[in-house]
Amino acid sequence: TFNNVAKINGHVVRLWARILLALPDSRLLLKSRAFAAKQVKDSCLCALADFGVDRSRIDLLQVVASTHDHMAKYARMDISLDTFPYAGTTTTVEALLMGVPVVTLRATG
């Protein structure tokens, strides 16, 4: 996902870890401006590692200079996993425009 890391909570991390562990050849690609800070990168990697996901399966990207380069990064995805309960908006539309299916949860209530 290219969602803001502020949307990635413990429930999201737990579910994404379950998905990654169920699909041993899969990788997780995350892109956020916040990854410019080593502390944020380490926190994200540790959170997934706490659920048994090997850090080598996680790619953390920082924001790129141009919109063209940003959109081109979607070519690295097979699917986009959405965050919850605060789902993606712009990033969801971008993924769909680039032909990347988005897996999200249906809201309740």
Side-chain angles (χ1 to χ4, degrees):
T1 186
F2 292 171
N3 282 328
N4 185 320
V5 293
K7 297 179 181 182
I8 302 173
N9 60 56
H11 299 292
V12 171
V13 171
R14 185 179 314 116
L15 180 58
W16 288 357
R18 285 181 57 201
I19 293 168
L20 286 163
L21 295 173
L23 301 166
D25 293 330
S26 64
R27 302 184 58 76
L28 182 63
L29 173 66
L30 302 173
K31 184 168 88 59
S32 175
R33 180 178 322 278
F35 292 141
K38 183 180 181 334
Q39 181 180 357
V40 175
K41 285 164 90 169
D42 290 345
S43 176
C44 186
L45 292 170
C46 285
L48 285 154
D50 286 346
F51 287 102
V53 178
D54 190 297
R55 292 174 183 226
S56 67
R57 296 178 61 200
I58 306 164
D59 297 319
L60 304 179
L61 306 177
Q62 295 180 30
V63 171
V64 293
S66 73
T67 301
H68 179 269
D69 291 342
H70 165 71
M71 297 301 281
K73 297 292 183 198
Y74 282 98
R76 294 184 56 185
M77 288 187 198
D78 293 319
I79 62 168
S80 178
L81 299 176
D82 205 0
T83 53
F84 60 91
Y86 185 22
T89 50
T90 303
T91 56
T92 299
V93 172
E94 288 174 348
L96 295 171
L97 284 171
M98 297 305 291
V100 179
V102 178
V103 177
T104 192
L105 294 178
R106 183 175 160 198
T108 58

